[in-house]
């Protein structure tokens, strides 16, 4: 069995979706085990809110499968995105980049999306965090909601294996922080890198468009928007910034 850090690692040449493979793994997983599934090519990747995720070779496609108490599910939105941000900062040696988090779980570099995260339920208490990172290519097509970018085009040279290793190290560090200092310590760091905190943003959700000042997030993962003194909690939607 291959391991990275203390994760079982299963690598494939091609898969429809690493999240599907992760679900299969969770069916026969033993309590206490955790696994990361990767593939070189992904042919039917899923994105958030029913969208698809283009699977060009050279990019990283991974799904982490691990056990979680029901009350902690939403915390992994923050753990996943903050681990990505910390990894990119760590592997970036030379480029001057503006790197920010966008609720719920995107990482933006110079305003463009470099990665995506899709959390899905596994079997029993297992959770799947499916993550795509534009390492070598930024897939561009007409249906994309946001500008996209790859690490390669920013001059950040890293291969998928190195990125994965560093990512799992950052993940474990955040779990240690959470367990030693409480989850608020993780949220505080997440918020320090959040784009447009304290500014007006727009959230689009189904047919609704909600405008307000982005004042923070709560422990359940909700976005907090202030609208004329009232605070609205938003559980799902796509965020747009004023310049978009
Ligand atoms: C998003 O819409 O931003 C989320 C994209 C998530 C894509 C990743 S790639 C690895 C994993 N397998 C999938 O089918 N989707 C996720």
């Amino acid at each position: 069995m291959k391991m990275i850090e203390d994760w079982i690692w299963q690598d494939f040449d091609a898969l429809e979706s690493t999240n599907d493979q992760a679900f299969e793994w969770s069916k026969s997983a033993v309590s206490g085990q955790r696994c990361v599934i990767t593939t070189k090519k992904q042919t039917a990747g899923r994105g958030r809110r029913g969208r698809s995720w283009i699977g060009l070779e050279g990019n990283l496609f991974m799904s982490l499968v691990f056990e979680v108490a029901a009350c902690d599910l939403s915390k992994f939105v923050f753990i996943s995105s903050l681990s990505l941000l910390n990894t990119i900062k760590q592997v970036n040696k030379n480029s001057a980049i503006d790197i920010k988090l966008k609720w719920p779980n995107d990482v933006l570099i110079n305003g463009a999306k470099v990665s995506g995260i899709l959390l899905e339920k596994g079997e029993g208490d297992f959770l799947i965090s499916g993550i795509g990172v534009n390492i070598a290519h930024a897939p561009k097509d007409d249906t994309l909601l946001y500008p996209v970018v790859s690490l390669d085009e920013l001059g950040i040279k890293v291969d998928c294996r190195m990125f994965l290793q560093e990512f799992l190290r950052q993940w474990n560090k955040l779990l240690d922080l959470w367990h030693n200092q409480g989850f608020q310590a993780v949220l505080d760091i997440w918020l320090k890198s959040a784009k447009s905190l304290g500014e007006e943003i727009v959230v689009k959700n189904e047919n609704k468009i909600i405008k307000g000042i982005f004042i923070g997030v709560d422990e359940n993962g909700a976005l907090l928007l202030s609208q004329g003194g009232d605070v609205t909690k938003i559980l799902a939607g796509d965020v747009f910034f004023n310049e978009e």
Side-chain angles (χ1 to χ4, degrees):
M1 198 176 349
K2 278 201 235 167
M3 304 288 292
I4 304 184
E5 297 276 319
D6 48 354
W7 294 77
I8 297 168
W9 179 34
Q10 293 186 352
D11 185 38
F12 293 82
D13 287 333
L15 283 177
E16 289 192 351
S17 161
T18 53
N19 273 24
D20 291 343
Q21 190 65 32
F23 188 80
E24 283 305 309
W25 184 86
S26 71
K27 286 190 200 163
S28 53
V30 172
S31 182
Q33 283 185 329
R34 43 188 201 162
C35 178
V36 56
I37 311 271
T38 54
T39 187
K40 294 180 186 65
K41 210 166 118 187
Q42 184 168 251
T43 53
R46 290 192 291 281
R48 285 177 59 236
R49 305 169 63 70
R51 296 189 278 258
S52 61
W53 185 259
I54 299 168
L56 298 177
E57 233 172 308
N59 284 347
L60 176 61
F61 312 101
M62 61 175 164
S63 294
L64 285 77
V65 206
F66 46 94
E67 274 174 308
V68 183
C71 58
D72 288 333
L73 281 174
S74 55
K75 299 194 172 73
F76 286 90
V77 169
F78 301 108
I79 296 282
S80 300
S81 53
L82 194 51
S83 298
L84 279 176
L85 177 119
N86 289 345
T87 303
I88 295 169
K89 283 187 174 168
Q90 191 63 32
V91 300
N92 173 31
K93 301 282 178 258
N94 309 308
S95 307
I97 54 169
D98 171 35
I99 179 162
K100 289 271 153 48
L101 295 166
K102 176 177 136 171
W103 183 89
N105 48 22
D106 284 349
V107 180
L108 305 179
I109 302 183
N110 305 337
K113 176 163 162 143
V114 71
S115 59
I117 301 173
L118 178 68
L119 292 173
E120 292 183 333
K121 281 268 315 137
E123 190 72 17
D125 291 335
F126 281 89
L127 178 67
I128 299 166
S129 177
I131 300 175
V133 187
N134 297 338
I135 302 267
H137 316 279
K140 306 210 158 100
D141 79 23
D142 297 342
T143 65
L144 293 175
L145 280 178
Y146 310 105
V148 289
V149 73
S150 73
L151 295 182
D152 185 74
E153 71 194 77
L154 293 164
I156 304 174
K157 306 291 173 197
V158 58
D159 64 41
C160 290
R161 172 73 168 77
M162 269 172 55
F163 192 98
L164 172 63
Q165 173 109 33
E166 182 58 27
F167 176 81
L168 295 176
R169 203 177 70 86
Q170 294 292 343
W171 180 286
N172 287 350
K173 267 176 72 174
L174 283 178
L175 286 200
D176 285 347
L177 177 70
W178 169 9
H179 295 136
N180 295 332
Q181 296 183 32
F183 196 72
Q184 192 58 45
V186 176
L187 271 187
D188 289 346
I189 302 179
W190 194 96
L191 281 170
K192 275 197 192 129
S193 289
K195 184 166 161 65
S196 296
L197 186 65
E199 294 169 18
E200 183 170 85
I201 61 169
V202 174
V203 187
K204 295 185 186 163
N205 181 359
E206 311 299 330
N207 308 323
K208 271 196 279 171
I209 296 185
I210 313 158
K211 244 190 203 178
I213 309 287
F214 170 30
I215 58 166
V217 290
D218 74 6
E219 273 227 7
N220 301 319
L223 174 83
L224 304 176
L225 268 193
S226 158
Q227 297 174 300
D230 293 337
V231 177
T232 308
K233 283 188 184 193
I234 296 179
L235 292 168
D238 290 310
V239 169
F240 293 85
F241 303 106
N242 259 338
E243 67 263 30
E244 287 172 345

